[in-house]
Each structure stands twice: as C-alpha cells, then as structure tokens.
Amino acid sequence: AEDGIRDVERSRGLGDVYKRQSQDTHIGGRLFLTCTQNHVLLSGDLSRTCLSSASWDGMDPICAGFN
C-alpha cells in the first residue's frame, strides 16, 4: 500500500514526527510506526493494515515533542 506515510518528518506545530518500524505491503500486511525520540502520540494509529484498495486503514499518527 502506498499512501505517502513519511519515514521521518520534522515536527510542524503540534507535530507529526514518527518513523516506520516495520511494514508488510501485501493486502492484510501490517505497518508499525513509532513517535521519534522526545515525542508522544497525540492521536492516530501506530499500527496500520494494508487494504485491498492499496491504502492503509486507520489515521496517520500525530506526535508532539516534549522536553
């Protein structure tokens, strides 16, 4: 599945900094993401499933940085 999920991205405001841990792009395959160091998940999903529509289920994770 290809939906533009970023491997690593700089935080923008509330932030969306996360990276792929592993992925299986076959239908039914799983994608696992984590927020990068010093960031916590605000919303979205860190685990996604590849759908027959060539997209991922769930919502993009939104991660926020902290000090």
Side-chain angles (χ1 to χ4, degrees):
E2 181 55 53
D3 70 340
I5 292 177
R6 297 167 298 282
D7 288 325
V8 176
E9 189 71 29
R10 291 189 182 277
S11 178
R12 294 175 284 161
L14 289 177
D16 62 349
V17 183
Y18 55 90
K19 61 183 178 179
R20 296 173 196 252
Q21 291 300 305
S22 63
Q23 70 178 7
D24 176 356
T25 56
H26 296 89
I27 295 172
R30 302 289 294 181
L31 167 67
F32 298 97
L33 304 151
T34 60
C35 295
T36 58
Q37 185 176 5
N38 297 325
H39 288 77
V40 295
L41 182 67
L42 291 180
S43 66
D45 302 294
L46 292 176
S47 176
R48 313 273 300 272
T49 300
C50 184
L51 305 174
S52 61
S53 61
S55 61
W56 298 102
D57 73 346
M59 301 297 295
D60 284 350
I62 303 295
C63 301
F66 64 91
N67 294 324

